[in-house]
Amino acid sequence: MSLEDAFDEPAFVPYLCVGDPSVERTREYVEALVRGGADVLELGLPFSEPIAEGPTIQGSVVRALEAGVTPEVYLDFVSSLDVDVPIVCMTYYNLLYQYGDSDGPEAFVARAAEVGISGFVIPDLPAEEAGPLRDACDEHGLDLVFIVAPTTEGERLERMVELSSGYLYVQARMGVTGAKADVSDQTGESLAKVSQYDIPKAVGFGVSSGDQARRIVEAGADGVIVGSALVDIVAEHGDADGDDVPERLEAMARELSEGVAAGAENMAKPEGQ
Amino acid sequence: MPAVQELEDAYERYVLGNEDGFVDEFRRRLRDFGGRPTPLQRADRLSERLGCEVYLKREDLVHGGAHKLNNALGQVLLAKYMGKERIVAETGAGQHGTATAMAAAHLDMPCEVYMGTRDIQRQRPNVFRMRLNGSEVNPVSAGRGTLKEAINETMRDWATNVEDTHYVIGSVVGPHPFPEMVRTFQSVISEEAREQVREKAGRLPDSVVACAGGGSNTMGAFHEFVGDDEVSLFAVEAGGSSLAVDEEIGVAPNSASLSTGTEGVLHGARTKLLQDSDGNVVESHSVSSGLDYAGVGPELAHLVDTARVTPVNVDDDAALSAFHLLSQEEGIIPALESAHAVAFARANPEQLGELTVINVSGRGDKDLESVIEETEKRELENAPSMDVFGRAAGDGGGI
Ligand SMILES: Cc1ncc(COP(=O)(O)O)c(C=O)c1O
């Protein structure tokens, strides 16, 4: 299934960093998320300087690096996964840039295509510098997702949308990732700003409950991205030797995906009448 | 990062275009508050020892004790012109944090400084100075607790609060326009030095020597000489304890990214980096915290690639020894960072030509605790006995 098709119905998009606390545990966690209703998976490839992440995901990235997750380990892991939802690789540009012997991201993109990755989110790649990665993604049939901040507007926004495929990552609030108790007022405004563009819009940064997910979809989102709230569960209960995290993740995923579905239903009603 | 676009626009208007008289005000404040111009001093005994004319550009005499104020004052003033209400900064040696705290107090802006926990230990006097000037110091314990982690944390704060906050980055690093802007603010060093050396020696130097951490002092000291092909430019990096990188544990016992790094992308810039073969950035090391950074400014990396700047390095021992040398022979206690430049000149007089300018980027008061401790660990033939201070490592030692 293509990434864009995954957003035909409003989609629930969970994030986990691969290798926290171990690659094998991540496999069980990911399968649990899919059972709980994940429509797309964002899987983090850990990088030493995760500047877009708040403390929760930063901690996860550090644990994954300590567990020995390199790009090669990550790609092998994705290759061995048996799930039928699209997988998006979330990482930082230098890892793509250094991969293989080539100067540029093409070698990594080629391998990513081979192992079944559908697209990328690269938070530290500015639109101005995205040409080579965009070209490589086009060549190998992958999507490239840009993050639109509340302050992104004008020509810059146009350029970002033009470069984006798969979906747009609409940042719900300023700053870095991290679960928050409430949905930011900025979400509605941010969605309105991009509503004219014909590409799925997924909202992330701070979502932590089914109720929030419902309201975000009611505000017009095509998808809801949830990272820190899930990583919190791993951070608190995860154990490389075995734990009850799969059950906890599945329950949380179910709550979130049901929130997304409830939002979609509420949206559908006024239209249907 | 749209914030960088807003900054680029402001940089072009105010700094390059002197809109609202920004540049005039900056120059006036550099003079009256900052103590510029700094002298270019002939170093008599060092000249004799090295067998060439040695001039010292005395950035240690800038208010606050280092070249860092040139940039901090420029950026805090720019933030004011942009209508920002809050300043954040990162610091390694604490020297940039101190300069920013001073500039922020001077211009009445609230300021928070992020600093690695390891650097906080190494640079206590500067931590106190920041707090004395009314700034908050936020410890960063990620990684090894040095500059790279402090930069990550400051970027996060900035990304969260861009609307009312300006990030005063401390060197010629980070996303455009920072590297160019910081270089512009620091170019006052070479602008003055070029004029002063012509006045005093009647000609341009054969070489300019400056230490490189992120590279702001280097770029500042070099910029006006870049067009003078006959002037050799030496960027002196911290060779630390060894030039090797331990990939296994992700540590480089040096911070010689120009000499040993490879091209990569860090903090929004493509430049030379200390990294492992996967592209993860490794921790750097130097006895001098101001040089302890795994990257370097992209323009400096470019000048090295095009062979205009020669990258060289000296190790911790040589820098410490040069610290004592300059103190004894010239009565100037240099920053440990600056001591790297002196150490290179001392070890390689034949590369300097007949007339050289060494940039003394800062004064060493901030480093006394580390110097006592590090000197005791070594046998340096020119170091005084440190017993007078008591045992630095024990309680009641230090200053
Ligand atoms: C006195 C002094 N010199 C040099 C440096 C190195 O930084 P840069 O290379 O950016 O000038 C520092 C950094 O803190 C410093 O304090």
Side-chain angles (χ1 to χ4, degrees), chain B residues 26 30 34-36 38 59 62-63 66-76 99 181-182 184-189 192 216-217 220 361:
Chain B
F26 175 49
L30 265 186
R36 299 210 72 93
T38 59
E59 291 301 293
V62 177
H63 177 50
H67 70 295
K68 296 282 179 187
L69 186 78
N70 304 327
N71 168 48
L73 188 61
Q75 285 199 52
V76 176
M181 179 173 69
V182 176
T184 301
F185 288 140
Q186 291 293 1
S187 290
V188 63
I189 303 172
E192 287 174 8
S216 71
N217 145 73
S361 56

Side-chain angles (χ1 to χ4, degrees), chain B residues 128-152:
Chain B
F128 287 126
R129 291 208 292 173
M130 286 180 256
R131 304 205 50 185
L132 287 171
N133 284 129
S135 287
E136 289 293 332
V137 179
N138 302 325
V140 179
S141 58
R144 285 179 77 231
T146 60
L147 181 57
K148 165 170 91 61
E149 288 79 23
I151 292 181
N152 292 344

